[in-house]
Amino acid sequence: MTKTNQESKILTGKDYWLKKLKNAFRVITSDKIGLIGFFLLLIIIVISLLAPYVFPLDTRSDPTKIFQPPSEDHLLGTDHMGRDIWAQIANGGRNLLLLAVITAVISILIGIVLGTISPLIGGKFDEVLLFLADVWLTIPRFPLLVVLSGFFRLSSLVLALILAILSWAGLYRNIRSEVLSLKERDYLEAAEMLDLSMFHLIFKEITPNMMSFISLNFTLMMRHAIYAQVGLFFLGLLPMEVNWGVMLNIAWAQGAIYHPDATMFILAPAMAISLLILSLVWINRALENLFNPALRTDKSD
C-alpha cells in the first residue's frame, strides 16, 4: 500500500482528495505566470477544437486578395492565394497538439515501464538496458528524423511513435533514478515481500509516487514533439496539411518575408508556435511550484 493511500485513509478518501485539490488550486492560482500559462493553453485548445465550425478554412483562391494586409474582413490579412490567414492559424494547431499529446503519452509509458522494470529486476538486465540507453542518447534525433522523413512517408501516428522511441533513453534514466530512491521505502519492500505482480508494483505502488516527476516530463515531451514537428513541416518533409509549420514553409517559399503586406503570413504562425511553447513552459513552472514546496514563495499548506 502506498503512502498516499495510507494518508487518504486517515482523512477518509473523499476528504483527503478534496484537501489535495484545494491545495493544488491554491498553489497554482498563487503563481500568476503559471495560471496565465494554463489559460493560454486552454484558449489555444478551445480555438483549435471550435475552429472548423467557427472559422472554416477558405477552399478557393482569390487572386484579387493576394497578400492583403490585416483588415476588418481579414484579421491577419491574406496569403499568397488570397485566403484568410486567421482561419489557417485557428485550424493549424489542432494536429500539432494532438500529435504532441500522443508522443508524450507513449514516451511516458515507455519510460515508466522500462525505468521501473530495470532497477526492480536489476543484475545484467539493468546493466544492459542502461548501456543501451547511454548509446541511444548519442543518436542525433532531429537529423535522424529528417532522414526517415525523406525516405518514408510518415503518418502522424507513425511520427508520434518514432518521436517517442527516440525520446525513451533520457526519460528512462531519469525514472530509473527515481525508482532507485523509492526502492528502499518500506511500503515497496513490503509489496515485494508479498510477491505482488510487476504490474501492481509499477502502476499501483511506484507510479503514484512519481506523479510530480511524470507531470513535469509530460509537458517537456510535448515541447520536444512540437519543435520536431514544426521543423519537419517547415522543411517540407511531412505531408502538407493545415499546420503552423506548413504555413511557415509556404510563407518562406512564396517570399512573404520580402513583401511588406505579407508580414503576418510568416509572423502569425511563428507567434502561434511561440505562444504554445510559452504556455507549456509556464505550466511547467506552475507544476514545479506545486510539487516542490521549496520553490514556493508561499509555503503554507
Side-chain angles (χ1 to χ4, degrees):
M1 180 180 296
T2 64
K3 287 186 176 181
T4 302
N5 291 336
Q6 292 171 351
E7 291 173 359
S8 64
K9 285 194 171 182
I10 295 175
L11 291 174
T12 72
K14 183 178 180 180
D15 293 338
Y16 173 77
W17 289 111
L18 184 61
K19 179 182 177 181
K20 294 289 284 186
L21 288 173
K22 287 182 178 179
N23 183 59
F25 181 78
R26 178 186 60 78
V27 172
I28 291 174
T29 53
S30 66
D31 184 350
K32 304 304 180 185
I33 297 298
L35 189 61
I36 292 173
F38 277 105
F39 276 115
L40 184 57
L41 181 61
L42 180 62
I43 290 172
I44 293 174
I45 292 174
V46 170
I47 291 176
S48 297
L49 292 176
L50 297 181
Y53 311 102
V54 182
F55 308 109
L57 288 167
D58 292 338
T59 56
R60 297 180 180 178
S61 61
D62 188 347
T64 64
K65 296 181 179 180
I66 291 176
F67 284 155
Q68 286 190 352
S71 62
E72 292 184 3
D73 294 332
H74 303 286
L75 187 62
L76 298 178
T78 59
D79 65 5
H80 66 295
M81 296 179 67
R83 298 172 302 187
D84 186 64
I85 294 175
W86 164 247
Q88 297 177 53
I89 291 293
N91 287 273
R94 189 165 52 256
N95 291 333
L96 275 178
L97 279 168
L98 179 60
L99 194 146
V101 170
I102 294 174
T103 301
V105 169
I106 297 174
S107 298
I108 293 295
L109 287 176
I110 294 175
I112 289 174
V113 173
L114 294 181
T116 50
I117 289 178
S118 180
L120 289 177
I121 295 177
K124 292 295 182 181
F125 179 81
D126 184 41
E127 293 178 7
V128 171
L129 201 55
L130 188 59
F131 173 77
L132 290 175
D134 291 338
V135 174
W136 201 262
L137 286 171
T138 65
I139 299 175
R141 285 182 285 183
F142 190 73
L144 179 59
L145 282 172
V146 171
V147 172
L148 291 175
S149 301
F151 280 98
F152 305 101
R153 184 177 177 84
L154 302 179
S155 65
S156 296
L157 288 178
V158 173
L159 178 61
L161 182 59
I162 292 175
L163 286 172
I165 292 175
L166 291 176
S167 304
W168 76 269
L171 188 60
Y172 154 78
R173 287 184 62 89
N174 292 332
I175 291 181
R176 177 180 177 275
S177 299
E178 290 289 320
V179 174
L180 286 174
S181 65
L182 293 173
K183 193 176 179 181
E184 306 302 324
R185 305 288 177 88
D186 293 339
Y187 70 91
L188 193 55
E189 291 182 354
E192 289 180 328
M193 291 177 63
L194 291 172
D195 197 25
L196 297 176
S197 67
M198 188 67 71
F199 181 89
H200 181 93
L201 290 176
I202 294 174
F203 295 103
K204 299 292 185 180
E205 303 294 338
I206 295 176
T207 302
N209 288 282
M210 292 196 304
M211 287 309 299
S212 60
F213 181 79
I214 291 171
S215 300
L216 293 172
N217 274 274
F218 189 86
T219 58
L220 183 63
M221 288 297 165
M222 283 188 65
R223 283 154 51 191
H224 289 332
I226 291 169
Y227 280 132
Q229 289 181 76
V230 170
L232 293 174
F233 277 117
F234 177 71
L235 294 174
L237 296 173
L238 292 178
M240 303 296 279
E241 57 186 26
V242 181
N243 184 288
W244 296 335
V246 172
M247 289 183 67
L248 285 173
N249 173 281
I250 296 175
W252 181 266
Q254 296 298 323
I257 194 171
Y258 305 110
H259 199 295
D261 292 332
T263 304
M264 291 308 298
F265 189 24
I266 198 166
L267 281 184
M271 291 171 60
I273 294 166
S274 299
L275 288 174
L276 176 56
I277 296 296
L278 186 61
S279 70
L280 293 174
V281 171
W282 284 347
I283 288 172
N284 192 275
R285 165 178 162 163
L287 293 175
E288 286 180 344
N289 288 332
L290 174 62
F291 295 122
N292 189 352
L295 298 176
R296 301 178 196 167
T297 54
D298 176 17
K299 298 179 183 177
S300 59
D301 291 327

